[in-house]
Amino acid sequence: MHVKLNASPQHSFALCSLTQTAIWLQDFTSNPNVIANSLTNLLFGQGTIPRCDLGSVFDTIAQHGRLDESVPPSSITRALLIYARSDVIPEPVVDETCAWGVLKKHPGFVFDALFLHARANQSPKCQDVFNDLTSLVQQFPRPPHPGCPRNQYFLEVVRTNERRFYEKVCLLLAHSGQRDDQFNFTSSLEETPPTSE
């Protein structure tokens, strides 16, 4: 949060929890202490939750989110799902029965996911869970409006690898309209020579 707020104090953050369905925990705020207190009050270790309705996450975001309706949007609402259930494949998200059908086409909304999972040999459903999460592909306007989100990220990391977890979180800090496509990411420290006409 501090990194994003240093870049722009206009950033605001909200929290939503996911048991079997989504629960809106904290409305949008730019105060890191409010978010920290909300995270502190979260109850962990409630045992195994046998199902996950991701559609309810999008319904909750549509109900509480700050979606800019102007075109191009003057602000972006980005949802970051941190999913840590290696053995629970989310229920299918059906476009017609939840807000995902509208959100995935909204020019001011972007959905990113970080799958924090057990090792594959300890949880054979890991690949199925990741496949399900990556099926939630957005349909960004083409050509994109300047400043509109263009690239969503689906990242995964093994729970026991703390360094890689922080590496993935750093990738997610970048503004979705300024980052390269996850699968066609290129970078170079060399200066690009000018093109001759």
Side-chain angles (χ1 to χ4, degrees):
M1 278 186 67
H2 294 286
V3 172
K4 297 300 274 185
L5 288 170
N6 282 337
S8 171
Q10 293 179 328
H11 282 107
S12 60
F13 307 86
L15 287 175
C16 182
S17 176
L18 182 62
T19 55
Q20 291 189 36
T21 59
I23 303 163
W24 191 257
L25 294 177
Q26 175 60 54
D27 206 9
F28 286 90
T29 180
S30 295
N31 186 338
N33 294 328
V34 171
I35 296 295
N37 287 338
S38 293
L39 287 171
T40 301
N41 293 329
L42 257 170
L43 297 175
F44 294 100
Q46 297 177 5
T48 303
I49 300 172
R51 62 181 280 270
C52 172
D53 177 9
L54 278 185
S56 70
V57 171
F58 301 115
D59 292 339
T60 303
I61 291 168
Q63 181 180 359
H64 296 280
R66 296 180 178 169
L67 296 169
D68 187 351
E69 296 301 328
S70 61
V71 178
S74 60
S75 66
I76 292 173
T77 298
R78 181 165 58 163
L80 169 58
L81 173 69
I82 300 176
Y83 193 82
R85 300 181 196 172
S86 301
D87 291 323
V88 180
I89 300 169
E91 293 174 1
V93 175
V94 181
D95 292 356
E96 295 77 29
T97 60
C98 75
W100 174 245
V102 173
L103 288 176
K104 73 178 183 180
K105 298 175 187 173
H106 194 287
F109 177 78
V110 66
F111 172 73
D112 293 326
L114 175 60
F115 180 33
L116 189 60
H117 60 85
R119 295 195 181 281
N121 62 354
Q122 297 169 345
S123 180
K125 294 182 181 178
C126 282
Q127 188 63 52
D128 293 331
V129 172
F130 188 70
N131 291 346
D132 191 77
L133 292 174
T134 57
S135 71
L136 297 170
V137 177
Q138 285 189 258
Q139 300 168 356
F140 296 117
R142 300 287 184 232
H145 298 289
C148 284
R150 288 188 290 271
N151 294 303
Q152 68 181 141
Y153 275 20
F154 295 104
L155 304 173
E156 58 81 28
V157 65
V158 176
R159 281 186 198 134
T160 57
N161 195 332
E162 187 176 343
R163 182 189 61 80
R164 299 245 321 140
F165 171 76
Y166 289 117
E167 179 183 294
K168 303 295 183 178
V169 170
C170 286
L171 285 172
L172 292 168
L173 284 175
H175 188 289
S176 59
Q178 297 172 332
R179 60 188 181 195
D180 280 335
D181 181 274
Q182 173 179 358
F183 301 106
N184 297 317
F185 187 81
T186 59
S187 64
S188 174
L189 296 177
E190 298 174 15
E191 190 173 325
T192 307
T195 57
S196 59
E197 295 180 17

